[in-house]
Amino acid sequence: MGRAIGIDLGTTNSCMAVSDGSEIIVISSGEGPRVMPSVVAFTSKGERLVGLVAKRQAITNPRNTISSIKRLMGRKYEEVEQERQNVAYEIKPNEKGDASVRVFDRLYTPPEISAIILQRLKARAEEYLGEEVTDAVVTVPAYFNEVQREATKAAGRIAGFEVKRVLNEPTAASLGFMEPTERKNIAVFDLGGGTFDISILQLVNGIFEVKATSGNTHLGGDDFDQRIVEWILGEFRRDNDMDLSEDPVALQRVREAAERAKCELSSTLEARINLPFIASDEEGPKHLELSITRGLLESLIEDLVELTRLPCEDALREAEKTPDDIDHVILVGGSTRVPLVRKQVEEIFQQRPAHNVNPDEVVAIGAAVEASVLTGQRKDLVLLDVTPLSLGVETLGGVMAPILEKNSPIPAKKSRMFTTAVDNQQVVNVHVLQGERELVEGNRSLGRFELVGIPPARRGVPRIEVSFEIDANGILNVSAMDAVTGRAQGMKVNPSGGLTEEEINELIREAAANAEEDRNRMKLVEARNAADQVIYDAEKVLETARKELEKESWQELETAATSLRECRDSEDRIRIAKETSRTSSLVSQTSKLLDIVHSGSVEQQDDDEVYVLEEDTEEQEQ
């Protein structure tokens, strides 16, 4: 059996580490730095370049140099419009509609490109260790959905790894930062090239427990770079009346200059951008010479940095912590070197973040720690992670009933009892959902299955137990069982249901932005459900009343029930509530009248019998 390593498969750079006894060693990329650019290039000669050498030739070969492939993982072509605009290479759909990259005359899927990066890391690790490397723990953003996690696993398998676990990056960072003997509350602020995550963890006696996680899987350093690119293009267009975005080579030079300027401004107050011979016209060659200050950069990206605040506040609230409760704030990802980002972190958590952590390496170190735990080398710590979004099923009226709440510790299993909606219902449709909205239409459908063979009974009588079970790798199994017959049915569901990065963030943002609308819609649903119950009760009472009472005794109830049925599907909640109240009152009155009739008929029957007996006696005496 070969060795196991930890890999941080990053948007911009990748890093790997290995456990060597009690020590974690970061393995050099073999190109000088200990991190390797997550870049793959294909040349006209059929060569395949990876890492720094691929990045260096990007200016002369922009169409066939692939970077930031992580932002395409597990996503459909129609979902990546922004990425298509911001990269030089060509993004096309494959036969399944997945976003893929066209290189010469072939389409490569994101897992294939990622596998090439992982293969290079594997080869370097085996060269460094002098033995075969077979297993790996690979990290992903905490808000990666299951499709993206499975795509990452597939990339590992293509590269020749057995992926022992897909580990959340903030969680890995905490493993790489803390000693298991400590007792601390930790906040991990992870802002990389393409994603942002925030996790609140609690460490007690070797148990790392994730209390809450939040984030934005469509926010990172690439977005900072793009703002600088747009500014550069705008300045050049204003001065020269030329659009550099139409020239792939010039645009790639601008992108690289923007990234360099961003990095320089983390340590200096001003950066120069000099790109000679960037374009030409009838007047001759054009040169690009600009100066960008840290203040200008901060004005360009201020709104992007502000997007990190709400997820941090949400994570603190979900974890039931305040900034005063946090003992350490760990910064992860190269974009946390931006001074404005660090200032934002200090404002949110009211303390300076830890500075004894290398943000480019700590995730890989934590992944190596987890690899040592999974392979039995270490037994002094336990990791308890959480599921990022709520999971539940659809109920009557289009309402989602949560079963596994957001930030539930995993692995986990939870059940909830449901019943039927109509009389003699023998089949129930279990619709599995994910999201934070109360109404089904605001959440993501993960799948459906049917439970058949339920014994006929009145609505509300059957008992159907729906169970959700999610394992440590985030795989969800859903089952439904009829409590009477024991009949069961189930399905395996991706816990994030194939949600795109943007869709997951939209679910959370929409839940907050549309809270008032949701409450009003919930009231409408509740009014309709109440109306359904009153209509059902009215029909039952009318069945008896039509047989035992005069028409004038039940006609008003029948008219009211008909009126309620007609307005039940309207959007006027007040009208539905009024009609429901009126019909309910008539149901009660008619029901009481029936009780009196039943009681009275018995008494009348007794009186008649007495009367007859008395009459017979008189006749006999006569």
Side-chain angles (χ1 to χ4, degrees):
M1 180 178 175
R3 295 287 291 275
I5 62 173
I7 298 176
D8 173 13
L9 183 61
T11 304
T12 307
N13 296 297
S14 294
C15 185
M16 55 185 169
V18 65
S19 175
D20 187 12
S22 60
E23 184 182 5
I24 301 295
I25 300 172
V26 178
I27 301 173
S28 168
S29 66
E31 300 173 334
R34 298 208 291 187
V35 297
M36 184 185 79
S38 301
V39 181
V40 175
F42 300 84
T43 70
S44 57
K45 297 180 180 180
E47 296 176 308
R48 194 171 71 183
L49 309 176
V50 186
L52 190 59
V53 63
K55 185 176 181 179
R56 284 172 176 165
Q57 56 83 67
I59 290 177
T60 58
N61 185 28
R63 288 290 190 187
N64 303 306
T65 301
I66 318 303
S67 60
S68 298
I69 194 64
K70 188 174 178 178
R71 296 191 102 167
L72 303 183
M73 285 287 246
R75 301 179 68 191
K76 296 294 184 181
Y77 174 75
E78 63 268 15
E79 301 166 352
V80 296
E81 181 177 356
Q82 181 176 335
E83 284 74 10
R84 297 201 300 271
Q85 296 172 349
N86 295 343
V87 296
Y89 52 87
E90 191 175 10
I91 301 175
K92 290 288 185 180
N94 64 8
E95 64 279 1
K96 297 179 181 179
D98 299 325
S100 303
V101 177
R102 179 180 294 281
V103 178
F104 297 113
D105 58 350
R106 178 183 167 184
L107 282 179
Y108 288 86
T109 64
E112 287 181 277
I113 299 296
S114 297
I116 294 171
I117 298 170
L118 290 171
Q119 285 171 343
R120 178 69 185 90
L121 294 173
K122 185 175 187 289
R124 174 56 190 151
E126 290 175 339
E127 178 185 346
Y128 177 85
L129 296 170
E131 58 182 302
E132 185 182 14
V133 175
T134 57
D135 300 337
V137 170
V138 183
T139 63
V140 295
Y143 257 41
F144 246 26
N145 63 59
E146 186 59 23
V147 172
Q148 294 166 310
R149 292 170 187 268
E150 288 295 338
T152 304
K153 288 182 183 179
R157 290 193 296 271
I158 294 170
F161 286 113
E162 178 183 347
V163 180
K164 305 295 287 186
R165 186 168 183 181
V166 174
L167 183 64
N168 290 340
E169 290 165 1
T171 307
S174 69
L175 293 176
F177 175 73
M178 301 298 299
E179 287 297 324
T181 55
E182 296 186 72
R183 183 185 181 96
K184 301 289 184 181
N185 291 318
I186 313 161
V188 182
F189 186 101
D190 183 356
L191 185 61
T195 61
F196 165 64
D197 288 310
I198 175 68
S199 290
I200 308 298
L201 300 96
Q202 186 176 65
L203 171 58
V204 180
N205 298 326
I207 299 176
F208 286 79
E209 181 180 2
V210 180
K211 305 299 290 186
T213 188
S214 189
N216 184 334
T217 50
H218 205 67
L219 174 67
D222 286 356
D223 301 294
F224 296 173
D225 295 347
Q226 186 60 28
R227 290 292 176 86
I228 303 174
V229 168
E230 291 169 358
W231 174 77
I232 294 172
L233 295 178
E235 292 294 301
F236 190 83
R237 188 184 303 113
R238 187 192 64 189
D239 295 339
N240 300 278
D241 195 26
M242 296 179 67
D243 188 357
L244 294 179
S245 65
E246 297 177 356
D247 182 347
V249 174
L251 185 57
Q252 183 61 32
R253 292 180 67 188
V254 170
R255 287 196 184 100
E256 293 191 1
E259 183 184 6
R260 284 195 302 270
K262 178 192 69 177
C263 295
E264 288 178 23
L265 290 172
S266 293
S267 55
T268 64
L269 296 177
E270 186 177 17
R272 296 288 302 174
I273 299 172
N274 294 302
L275 297 175
F277 302 99
I278 192 71
S280 63
D281 58 13
E282 60 275 5
E283 296 179 0
K286 301 292 182 182
H287 311 297
L288 193 156
E289 296 183 12
L290 293 170
S291 176
I292 181 170
T293 64
R294 183 183 293 180
L296 175 56
L297 171 63
E298 291 180 350
S299 68
L300 293 174
I301 66 172
E302 183 178 11
D303 62 316
L304 296 175
V305 175
E306 185 61 27
L307 291 176
T308 65
R309 182 181 298 274
L310 182 58
C312 291
E313 293 172 348
D314 288 344
L316 285 169
R317 184 177 61 255
E318 292 282 346
E320 298 181 348
K321 304 291 183 186
T322 67
D324 292 338
D325 296 324
I326 303 301
D327 298 299
H328 297 289
V329 179
I330 307 171
L331 297 182
V332 179
S335 297
T336 59
R337 291 189 172 93
V338 175
L340 184 62
V341 173
R342 291 180 174 251
K343 180 182 178 182
Q344 174 95 318
V345 173
E346 290 184 26
E347 289 179 0
I348 295 171
F349 293 98
Q350 300 170 21
Q351 62 178 286
R352 295 192 66 189
H355 287 271
N356 58 336
V357 176
N358 185 326
D360 294 324
E361 299 177 356
V362 67
V363 171
I365 292 171
V369 171
E370 179 67 2
S372 68
V373 172
L374 296 177
T375 55
Q377 296 180 50
R378 292 190 64 171
K379 300 179 180 178
D380 59 338
L381 59 88
V382 176
L383 176 60
L384 301 176
D385 220 326
V386 298
T387 183
L389 289 171
S390 298
L391 296 154
V393 297
E394 179 178 358
T395 60
L396 185 65
V399 176
M400 173 175 160
I403 295 180
L404 276 175
E405 300 281 356
K406 174 185 177 182
N407 287 320
S408 295
I410 58 174
K413 183 176 182 179
K414 195 171 181 181
S415 301
R416 189 169 175 179
M417 202 68 73
F418 296 89
T419 189
T420 52
V422 298
D423 288 343
N424 302 318
Q425 184 176 341
Q426 296 181 275
V427 178
V428 293
N429 185 297
V430 181
H431 184 195
V432 184
L433 302 159
Q434 180 182 42
E436 302 308 315
R437 302 284 293 275
E438 292 178 314
L439 301 177
V440 168
E441 63 189 29
N443 296 306
R444 181 61 180 256
S445 173
L446 304 186
R448 298 173 183 263
F449 66 92
E450 290 185 340
L451 176 63
V452 300
I454 301 170
R458 291 180 61 183
R459 58 178 280 177
V461 173
R463 290 291 178 266
I464 300 159
E465 183 181 41
V466 178
S467 299
F468 278 42
E469 184 173 8
I470 187 167
D471 64 21
N473 287 315
I475 304 300
L476 173 68
N477 287 279
V478 182
S479 63
M481 183 181 72
D482 176 32
V484 175
T485 65
R487 292 179 183 271
Q489 186 58 268
M491 66 183 295
K492 179 182 287 188
V493 183
N494 291 335
S496 292
L499 293 175
T500 66
E501 295 173 353
E502 189 168 3
E503 285 173 336
I504 292 177
N505 290 297
E506 281 298 319
L507 286 173
I508 296 172
R509 288 195 293 268
E510 288 176 9
N514 297 288
E516 183 62 31
E517 179 185 345
D518 280 354
R519 280 193 290 270
N520 291 332
R521 290 295 302 277
M522 277 296 295
K523 290 177 181 177
L524 180 61
V525 168
E526 289 167 359
R528 286 172 174 169
N529 286 344
D532 280 341
Q533 186 62 54
V534 170
I535 292 169
Y536 177 85
D537 293 340
E539 289 294 340
K540 292 298 182 184
V541 170
L542 283 168
E543 284 178 12
T544 306
R546 290 187 184 103
K547 298 175 184 177
E548 300 187 17
L549 298 177
E550 295 295 327
K551 187 174 183 180
E552 58 265 28
S553 300
W554 53 260
Q555 189 172 22
E556 187 178 3
L557 173 58
E558 185 179 64
T559 302
T562 300
S563 176
L564 177 58
R565 192 180 293 107
E566 289 174 352
C567 80
R568 182 254 176 224
D569 292 325
S570 73
E571 295 294 320
D572 189 343
R573 174 176 60 86
I574 304 300
R575 181 188 170 202
I576 295 172
K578 287 181 177 178
E579 287 289 339
T580 300
S581 177
R582 173 173 173 255
T583 308
S584 179
S585 177
L586 290 170
V587 168
S588 179
Q589 293 175 24
T590 308
S591 183
K592 287 178 181 178
L593 183 57
L594 284 170
D595 289 342
I596 292 171
V597 169
H598 291 155
S599 176
S601 66
V602 172
E603 294 173 2
Q604 184 65 43
Q605 184 178 358
D606 293 340
D607 291 344
D608 289 345
E609 290 175 353
V610 172
Y611 176 77
V612 171
L613 285 173
E614 290 176 351
E615 194 173 85
D616 289 346
T617 302
E618 292 176 354
E619 289 179 355
Q620 289 175 1
E621 290 177 351
Q622 291 178 352

